[in-house]
Amino acid sequence: MLTKRIIPCLDVRDGRVVKGVRFQGLRDAGSPVELAAAYEAQGADELVFLDISATTEGRDTHRNTVAAIRSAIGVPMTTGGGIRTAADAERLLEAGADKVSVNTAAVERPELIAEIAGRFGSQCAVLAIDAAGCPGRTDAWEVVVRSGKERTGRSAVEWAIEAERRGAGEILLTSWDRDGTRSGYDCALLEALCKAVHIPVIASGGASSPEHMVEAFQAGADAVLAASIFHDGEWTVGGIKDVLAKAGVEVRR
Amino acid sequence: METTVAIVRTGVANTASIIACFARLGVEAAVCDDAVRIAQAPAVVLPGVGTFGAAMAAIKEAQLDQVLEERIIRGAPLMAICAGYQVLFESSEESPRCAGLGVFQGLVRRFPSGVRVPQFGWNRLTTGQTPGVLTGGYAYFANSYAVTGDAVPSARFGEVLRPESLQTATATHGVPFIGAISCGSFLGCQFHPELSGPWGQRLLSRWLSSAGCTAGESSTC
């Protein structure tokens, strides 16, 4: 049986891992290569590395960091940040990424998903969705872009369905309301979205305990992503897997 | 310097991950599409990310179909990964009008509805009684199609891939499917050994040993 995946996330700016609340107030959390190797040794099933460099020089740094992480680790790596074309994706896949994730660029130009999936296969094409609750409603979420600065009015669930149709192989779903709050994943959002698509869904945003991860799996997630609880040394991946296994979640150990 | 492992260029595959894994084992691997070099390389990897049809088109364009078949018939070391493994079968639901290499009989089918497709992640692999390079453990898969049933070599490969010496490993995703097949220095993996952590790296190491290649020697094997 396929096990549930635990995925540490590295948000990297100018070559250093950073972490903030709702992408604000970023603080240094270490070297991406060292953290990647440490998380693999702890039992990480996969890694996500998002480059959030604001500068154009950031592109080469991004590629070089992918290559350096790839030399160090033997588990899958997804990377995202600044990918606007299939050629951008190709540079990162060639450098050693196994999948690429697109976010804002795909909202602006949804054909990008099909371009990446058509050229490299759906198994390389991850769509990252940042979703925020619609004011006054508990059953509707909208897509936000540009690191949450802009609300699109587009339904997150509808967007996921469209992305699957366009060839996305996986959804990385971040709850904008929960990200960095340590209050747990948005399970209502997860449940609604997981029911709507057939491709795997990675839950992101809000985790501060293994119990939150159990809840996410119960809501239908195939994998859970977290950053600060690992960077802060609060939990190791292995420690989390011990708790998950006791709760009846099948994990690789 | 001559490389030990030639990785067949099948278009866009995650060759960087494969090269990095061999590098960690002290063995040099390089991507290659030259038929003569692929025929003569000490060990060959047939990777594949993308579709069955795209992988077969790349193999045919470089006129490698015969070279690969001859390697198997000669018992020359070959490892096929994911879509590179699937093209060893006769055909696939993924690319209906495209014939595979037909080393093994049968059709590659899409996973049934009711499970997440693609299958992304670590699945438990169970090996049968026949000894070989495969062991049980968690392997990393990224596939939407798989082969169910037994691994049956086509008649023309029966001398080399003898049914009694074939080691198969199975996993389940909605249905039981073949996770890998090994026989001597032939290894076909539906999963990605290069992404399967320390377990996968040990498998690559055993395959290199079965191929007579020792880690640390980059020029000969």
Side-chain angles (χ1 to χ4, degrees), chain A residues 1-3 5 45-46 70-71 73-76 94 96 98-99 120 123 169-170 194 197-200 222 250 252, chain B residues 12 14 16-17 20 24 49-50 115-124 138 140 142 172-173 194-198:
Chain A
M1 216 181 106
L2 199 59
T3 59
R5 288 170 284 158
D45 295 308
E46 200 170 317
R70 172 44 65 214
S71 301
I73 68 162
V75 295
E94 278 182 347
D98 302 293
K99 313 181 218 177
F120 312 111
Q123 76 291 330
E170 192 164 49
C194 289
V197 297
H198 306 93
I199 54 179
D222 299 280
E250 192 173 347
R252 173 183 70 112
Chain B
V12 199
N14 64 334
S17 299
R24 283 191 289 273
V49 165
V115 289
R116 296 273 181 201
V117 178
Q119 168 183 222
F120 263 141
W122 300 77
N123 205 329
R124 185 176 263 295
Y138 285 110
Y140 183 83
T172 301
H173 186 56
E194 78 283 9
L195 296 176
S196 294

Side-chain angles (χ1 to χ4, degrees), chain B residues 48 50-53 55-56 80-112 117 119 141-152 175-181 188-191:
Chain B
T51 66
F52 185 96
M56 268 316 290
I81 301 173
C82 203
Y85 149 86
Q86 292 183 352
V87 298
L88 299 177
F89 290 83
E90 290 169 318
S91 59
S92 172
E93 287 181 356
E94 185 176 25
S95 309
R97 282 169 300 282
C98 176
L101 295 172
V103 176
F104 294 97
Q105 297 176 26
L107 170 71
V108 187
R109 295 173 187 277
R110 192 171 167 86
F111 281 118
V117 178
Q119 168 183 222
F141 290 85
N143 59 313
S144 299
Y145 298 81
V147 179
T148 55
D150 295 326
V152 182
V175 288
F177 65 94
I178 303 173
I181 308 169
C189 298
Q190 178 59 76
F191 57 87

Side-chain angles (χ1 to χ4, degrees), chain A residues 136-194:
Chain A
R137 293 187 60 182
T138 54
D139 61 345
W141 300 265
E142 67 176 307
V143 178
V144 297
V145 294
R146 299 187 196 290
S147 305
K149 292 185 192 82
E150 197 178 311
R151 290 189 167 242
T152 63
R154 182 194 281 246
S155 152
V157 173
E158 293 300 320
W159 176 222
I161 293 168
E162 180 182 338
E164 176 174 7
R165 186 170 49 73
R166 288 180 182 272
E170 192 164 49
I171 304 280
L172 168 52
L173 177 64
T174 301
S175 163
W176 185 247
D177 305 316
R178 301 294 182 93
D179 192 49
T181 64
R182 307 177 55 86
S183 56
Y185 297 100
D186 185 338
C187 289
L189 163 65
L190 262 175
E191 200 171 334
L193 197 131
C194 289

Side-chain angles (χ1 to χ4, degrees), chain B:
Chain B
M1 195 202 312
E2 194 156 327
T3 52
T4 302
V5 181
I7 301 172
V8 178
R9 191 188 302 280
T10 50
V12 199
N14 64 334
T15 50
S17 299
I18 300 171
I19 292 169
C21 198
F22 281 115
R24 283 191 289 273
L25 290 167
V27 169
E28 189 178 330
V31 178
C32 175
D33 55 8
D34 178 72
V36 175
R37 286 177 59 202
I38 288 167
Q40 294 173 350
V44 166
V45 172
L46 178 62
V49 165
T51 66
F52 185 96
M56 268 316 290
I59 288 167
K60 290 214 156 158
E61 196 181 310
Q63 297 181 308
L64 292 173
D65 36 352
Q66 276 210 318
V67 171
L68 293 168
E69 287 180 23
E70 280 164 16
R71 275 196 79 97
I72 296 173
I73 287 170
R74 272 192 286 134
L78 176 76
M79 174 167 62
I81 301 173
C82 203
Y85 149 86
Q86 292 183 352
V87 298
L88 299 177
F89 290 83
E90 290 169 318
S91 59
S92 172
E93 287 181 356
E94 185 176 25
S95 309
R97 282 169 300 282
C98 176
L101 295 172
V103 176
F104 294 97
Q105 297 176 26
L107 170 71
V108 187
R109 295 173 187 277
R110 192 171 167 86
F111 281 118
S113 56
V115 289
R116 296 273 181 201
V117 178
Q119 168 183 222
F120 263 141
W122 300 77
N123 205 329
R124 185 176 263 295
L125 208 62
T126 311
T127 55
Q129 297 295 317
T130 317
V133 296
L134 294 163
T135 58
Y138 285 110
Y140 183 83
F141 290 85
N143 59 313
S144 299
Y145 298 81
V147 179
T148 55
D150 295 326
V152 182
S154 302
R156 67 188 194 281
F157 295 93
E159 287 286 301
V160 186
L161 305 173
R162 299 156 70 93
E164 67 275 16
S165 52
L166 276 189
Q167 184 197 29
T168 54
T170 54
T172 301
H173 186 56
V175 288
F177 65 94
I178 303 173
I181 308 169
S182 90
C183 187
S185 61
F186 166 84
L187 176 61
C189 298
Q190 178 59 76
F191 57 87
H192 288 272
E194 78 283 9
L195 296 176
S196 294
W199 178 88
Q201 193 160 312
R202 287 194 296 272
L203 173 60
L204 286 189
S205 177
R206 287 191 301 274
W207 174 69
L208 285 170
S209 299
S210 77
C213 302
T214 314
E217 290 176 25
S218 59
S219 56
T220 53
C221 86

